[in-house]
Amino acid sequence: MALQNELEINHSFGEIVGKSKKIQHVFTEIQIAAAGDISVLIQGETGTGKELIAKAIHDNSPRNACPFVAFNCAAIPTELIEGELFGNERGAFTGANERRIGYFEQADTGTLFLDEIGDMPLILQAKLLRVLQEREFQSLGGTSTTSIDIRVLAATNQDLENAIRDGYFREDLYHRLSAFPIKVPPLRDRREDIPILADHFLKKHAAAAEKSIRDISTDALQMLMQHDFPGNVRELENAIERAVLYETTDRLQPQSLLLHQVQEHSQPPTSSPTDATTILPLDEVERRTIIHALKVTDNNISHTARALGIDRTTLYRKLKKYNLL
């Protein structure tokens, strides 16, 4: 009851902020999941704060004094993922001049967070499943097994049930990971949290920029409330951080938010500009093409990269460049 009262007063759980019923439900699920050692699958759109939820579960669990190790399955080239996760012995391959500890061993006694688990290559999903079942693994070039005591949390912005039907994700691995599923609502479905989040980010970034901006004007807040935020909480924070740098008064004004530009850029791309005389910068053409590909593939990173003819690492770098993560 004391914790619930604290949540109602502070509207936060760790770094996660909100007072809506939907996010309060997530707070409750974090609290329940943290009490045990069950595997958790966190599902939600890009930018909804899935890693923050994983960190909150770890920080409130009996393993909180042990390591929390995060691994992004979409950020590493397929051929390197196995070595990154399981490590390698000296001489395992050309250039392996020393033994290197992988993420599983780094997380021993603590929590391993597998972000973007939907992009784990199918060939490695079987090995991952074995590790989760047996709690032991063999490093690249190794001849013996290493036992580990870890808790695994995973997250994805993909529909894994569709991926299972399409043959891109193992059903047995899905059931192993999703023993305790948590679904994170998009920001557009909890708009009542926007004022609290905006104020939270304003205080954070105004302090970092050493600017005395005390609050957000009514017009600016109305603009925020009307925006759909396809990039969710991350997009809102980026908008506030940028606005803080532009703002010259002690209240955040609508013109500092530049949301009209964001909304214009968030429109689905067309094959050519509406005005035949308009020439778009190459970066904007690329950004729109990536947004379109993500929409067509339902935000599946692997499918998007394949459709664009680039590898996942390159796509991940471009997503960061255009603030699409």
Side-chain angles (χ1 to χ4, degrees):
M1 181 62 70
L3 176 58
Q4 186 60 40
N5 289 339
E6 181 181 340
L7 291 178
E8 289 173 356
I9 294 170
N10 296 328
H11 305 311
S12 65
F13 199 119
E15 292 295 313
I16 312 160
V17 178
K19 68 175 183 178
S20 66
K21 288 183 179 180
K22 289 187 177 182
I23 202 65
Q24 290 288 320
H25 177 66
V26 172
F27 291 167
T28 300
E29 290 186 314
I30 292 172
Q31 184 182 354
I32 295 170
D37 212 35
I38 194 169
S39 296
V40 178
L41 178 63
I42 306 164
Q43 296 171 285
E45 295 180 5
T46 295
T48 49
K50 296 185 289 295
E51 183 167 353
L52 292 179
I53 291 173
K55 189 68 166 61
I57 292 172
H58 171 79
D59 288 345
N60 289 275
S61 76
R63 296 179 183 265
N64 61 2
C66 302
F68 174 84
V69 179
F71 178 79
N72 191 312
C73 301
I76 307 296
T78 299
E79 64 273 13
L80 299 181
I81 290 181
E82 184 173 4
E84 291 291 324
L85 284 175
F86 306 116
N88 62 264
E89 300 299 321
R90 181 179 179 182
F93 50 83
T94 303
N97 298 320
E98 59 183 7
R99 182 178 185 270
R100 190 168 60 84
I101 295 175
Y103 281 80
F104 269 99
E105 196 167 352
Q106 292 175 39
D108 193 26
T109 72
T111 301
L112 177 62
F113 173 53
L114 298 173
D115 199 6
E116 306 295 355
I117 188 65
D119 287 292
M120 171 71 70
L122 194 60
I123 193 172
L124 290 179
Q125 291 178 25
K127 185 165 186 177
L128 174 60
L129 180 63
R130 286 196 300 273
V131 175
L132 296 180
Q133 290 172 336
E134 306 298 332
R135 299 293 167 172
E136 62 182 23
F137 67 92
Q138 188 170 304
S139 61
L140 289 178
T143 56
S144 60
T145 58
T146 300
S147 296
I148 49 171
D149 170 25
I150 62 169
R151 182 184 197 177
V152 174
L153 309 177
T156 182
N157 61 6
Q158 299 180 31
D159 186 332
L160 293 186
E161 293 183 355
N162 282 341
I164 291 169
R165 285 194 292 270
D166 293 341
Y168 292 107
F169 203 83
R170 293 179 61 107
E171 185 173 6
D172 47 7
L173 178 58
Y174 170 76
H175 290 302
R176 171 68 63 171
L177 292 171
S178 63
F180 192 103
I182 294 179
K183 293 193 175 181
V184 193
L187 187 54
R188 63 182 175 275
D189 288 349
R190 55 181 185 106
R191 290 181 187 273
E192 58 266 50
D193 289 335
I194 291 176
I196 297 175
L197 284 162
D199 183 68
H200 171 74
F201 293 137
L202 175 64
K203 287 180 170 60
K204 172 183 174 181
H205 293 294
E210 299 183 344
K211 299 187 75 169
S212 54
I213 306 173
R214 56 187 175 87
D215 59 13
I216 303 172
S217 71
T218 301
D219 289 344
L221 185 57
Q222 184 178 6
M223 180 180 288
L224 290 171
M225 293 295 289
Q226 292 174 345
H227 188 61
D228 279 342
F229 289 105
N232 291 293
V233 178
R234 185 183 293 119
E235 182 186 346
L236 173 59
E237 180 171 10
N238 289 342
I240 297 296
E241 182 178 12
R242 181 175 58 244
V244 164
L245 299 178
Y246 276 106
E247 189 54 62
T248 57
T249 73
D250 65 349
R251 302 191 77 192
L252 210 60
Q253 303 298 327
Q255 57 268 27
S256 296
L257 286 169
L258 305 178
L259 281 182
H260 62 286
Q261 294 183 15
V262 175
Q263 286 200 302
E264 176 186 339
H265 289 169
S266 297
Q267 297 302 313
T270 55
S271 58
S272 60
T274 302
D275 182 352
T277 64
T278 301
I279 300 176
L280 294 176
L282 283 175
D283 276 359
E284 177 60 15
V285 173
E286 181 176 67
R287 192 193 67 81
R288 293 190 182 197
T289 300
I290 291 173
I291 290 174
H292 178 64
L294 286 168
K295 182 178 180 180
V296 170
T297 63
D298 196 23
N299 289 318
N300 185 302
I301 298 294
S302 295
H303 294 182
T304 300
R306 192 178 303 118
L308 293 172
I310 58 179
D311 60 43
R312 294 185 314 152
T313 308
T314 301
L315 176 58
Y316 192 74
R317 186 174 66 249
K318 291 181 183 295
L319 291 173
K320 290 175 66 176
K321 174 182 177 181
Y322 298 122
N323 290 321
L324 297 175
L325 282 174

